[in-house]
Amino acid sequence: RQPFYKGKALFSHQNTVTVVALPQITTSSGALADSRVLTYKWKKNGSVQESQSGYGKNTYTFISSIISRPLEVSVEVTSPNIQTVGFGSVNLFPREPELFFYEKKPLLGIQFEKAITGNYEMLSPEIMVVAYPYYFDANRIFGDLIYRWSINGKSLEDNEPTQVFRVPNGASGTSNISLFVENPIQILQTIRNSFRLVFTQTVI
């Protein structure tokens, strides 16, 4: 759930998925065989994927269906002399998109160590909140997706991943903050989340 996670994103409905084969094959000289000189036969749920199989094709890319279900991707690797030298498979399980909020402080930056959930107390007259959606098929998270913020049920005009909220003059209480994120291309990649800002007149 951290933006600095070094692994790949998990796949969700209508996501683009790429599976890479990394054969560890030793030649007669003791060196590793070049993956580009091997032949790959890819299968999805047992069905051969002819268009993406062949000489040097060690990657297989597909777009998951609108309603994704668990699936198996397998590959058979053969050497130039048509001997089968390797076989592997992976089971993929779709995930629903998720949405998290973080506070961004002027000097410390985004506070990724603590997501904003439930009641969140404001300790200053204003707070900057950054939204991070996960498992969306977007090349640039901050540019490809649509963000629709609302406060106490009223839609905000400035729909960006980052929003600044201020304490109303002389007020104390709570504000309900809600965000709906959607991918305009992939219709099932949507998520909604919310939290409550708690504020008093005494914040400084």
Side-chain angles (χ1 to χ4, degrees):
R1 293 178 179 177
Q2 295 290 351
F4 303 115
Y5 169 62
K6 295 182 179 180
K8 295 295 184 180
L10 302 180
F11 95 96
S12 183
H13 309 296
Q14 297 182 290
N15 265 1
T16 301
V17 182
T18 298
V19 181
V20 182
L22 300 173
Q24 302 294 305
I25 300 168
T26 303
T27 65
S28 58
S29 64
L32 286 177
D34 188 341
S35 61
R36 295 171 295 182
V37 304
L38 301 173
T39 300
Y40 302 81
K41 180 190 290 185
W42 290 98
K43 295 182 180 180
K44 185 171 71 172
N45 287 338
S47 177
V48 177
Q49 306 300 297
E50 296 286 358
S51 63
Q52 296 197 57
S53 297
Y55 184 79
K57 294 184 176 182
N58 70 321
T59 63
Y60 168 55
T61 299
F62 66 96
I63 298 177
S64 58
S65 62
I66 292 180
I67 303 299
S68 299
R69 294 178 173 83
L71 55 88
E72 180 189 56
V73 174
S74 61
V75 63
E76 180 182 301
V77 184
T78 57
S79 64
N81 58 5
I82 318 299
Q83 289 184 330
T84 298
V85 293
F87 176 85
S89 65
V90 61
N91 293 306
L92 302 176
F93 300 90
R95 289 286 300 271
E96 295 295 331
E98 295 187 57
L99 175 61
F100 290 88
F101 303 104
Y102 304 96
E103 181 178 357
K104 183 177 182 180
K105 295 185 177 181
L107 298 179
L108 300 177
I110 302 175
Q111 305 299 288
F112 288 120
E113 67 274 12
K114 181 181 180 182
I116 297 175
T117 60
N119 293 324
Y120 195 78
E121 184 178 2
M122 291 184 63
L123 301 178
S124 61
E126 69 177 32
I127 181 176
M128 181 178 293
V129 176
V130 183
Y132 269 82
Y134 294 87
Y135 316 137
F136 279 77
D137 190 15
N139 293 327
R140 301 177 308 279
I141 284 181
F142 290 102
D144 290 350
L145 304 179
I146 297 174
Y147 298 79
R148 304 186 190 279
W149 292 86
S150 66
I151 179 169
N152 294 327
K154 182 180 179 180
S155 297
L156 302 180
E157 294 182 0
D158 184 18
N159 286 304
E160 298 292 337
T162 301
Q163 285 286 348
V164 175
F165 300 98
R166 297 177 176 85
V167 176
N169 291 333
S172 62
T174 63
S175 290
N176 296 315
I177 310 299
S178 178
L179 174 61
F180 177 76
V181 180
E182 63 178 325
N183 186 329
I185 305 301
Q186 313 292 21
I187 61 174
L188 286 188
Q189 290 186 1
T190 63
I191 187 66
R192 183 186 300 276
N193 201 359
S194 62
F195 63 95
R196 292 178 297 277
L197 281 179
V198 180
F199 50 87
T200 68
Q201 300 180 53
T202 58
V203 294
I204 58 175

